[in-house]
Amino acid sequence: MAQIPKKLPCTFGHYTLVRQVSKGGMSLVYEGRREAIAGVSARVAIKIMRPELAENETHKNLFIQEAKNASSLMHRNIVHTQDFEEVDGLLMLIMEYVEGLTVREMMRQAHQHGLPIPPHVIAEVGRQICDGLHHAHCAADPRGKPMGLVHCDVKPGNLIVNNQGALK
């Protein structure tokens, strides 16, 4: 079975895995870097299919479809897809790295300090969520046929507010 190196940072394909930032049922997400010429080192998020699912055709097909769908969406409130590749039998979706806090972290910190999240902040987060979801739900393929996308995992841990206040 294919494996992700345990000791980080490490090279994995064309990328360096720096640290694990989250995990889900189907994948692990890492902060990574793409090393290029002249010391250029782009920061990226790398979503890797869990090794124990790598040989499951159903999960592979779901991950591939996610990559196809994500790569067709360009919107300020949707994380941009940059690359998709396979390393040692593991599928990797390379995305923009979003520096900021998840909505779950924001809620936890507010609760920890006994502070309410101001209503205008909640409203703005909600507006940006709706903008991104509307774009995805209305997406069409290159021939203009509706893609019929529905995001099935909208939750505070999957929503990131970047340092400029934009939600992804």
Side-chain angles (χ1 to χ4, degrees):
M1 173 168 45
Q3 290 296 316
I4 300 168
K6 301 282 185 229
K7 187 173 174 21
L8 300 177
C10 69
T11 301
F12 198 68
H14 296 107
Y15 297 90
T16 299
L17 301 180
V18 175
R19 67 183 177 96
Q20 186 175 335
V21 293
S22 71
K23 58 183 171 183
M26 225 172 79
S27 59
L28 306 167
V29 181
Y30 293 84
E31 175 186 344
R33 299 248 189 266
R34 168 73 188 228
E35 307 300 332
I37 62 170
V40 174
S41 179
R43 194 174 186 191
V44 293
I46 304 171
K47 186 174 189 174
I48 304 174
M49 177 178 251
R50 285 180 172 270
E52 61 270 21
L53 301 176
E55 294 178 27
N56 181 305
E57 285 303 312
T58 300
H59 285 97
K60 268 180 100 164
N61 290 334
L62 285 170
F63 200 81
I64 290 167
Q65 190 59 53
E66 177 183 349
K68 286 178 180 178
N69 292 342
S71 67
S72 70
L73 301 174
M74 277 300 247
H75 188 271
R76 68 188 165 276
N77 297 117
I78 298 175
V79 173
H80 299 149
T81 298
Q82 298 176 358
D83 200 1
F84 185 64
E85 63 179 68
E86 186 172 353
V87 175
D88 297 333
L90 296 176
L91 297 174
M92 297 175 26
L93 180 58
I94 315 305
M95 303 166 290
E96 74 174 295
Y97 185 86
V98 180
E99 182 75 47
L101 291 175
T102 65
V103 171
R104 179 183 350 153
E105 290 167 331
M106 286 175 47
M107 292 166 53
R108 182 185 52 76
Q109 287 186 15
H111 179 74
Q112 194 173 35
H113 296 288
L115 300 170
I117 298 175
H120 72 278
V121 172
I122 295 169
E124 180 58 20
V125 166
R127 184 192 67 74
Q128 290 187 50
I129 291 168
C130 290
D131 280 354
L133 289 173
H134 181 264
H135 178 78
H137 294 176
C138 293
D141 69 16
R143 295 181 307 268
K145 180 182 174 203
M147 294 174 64
L149 300 179
V150 177
H151 195 302
C152 297
D153 201 18
V154 178
K155 60 185 180 186
N158 286 345
L159 303 166
I160 303 172
V161 178
N162 73 15
N163 294 336
Q164 292 74 43
L167 182 123
K168 298 276 189 168

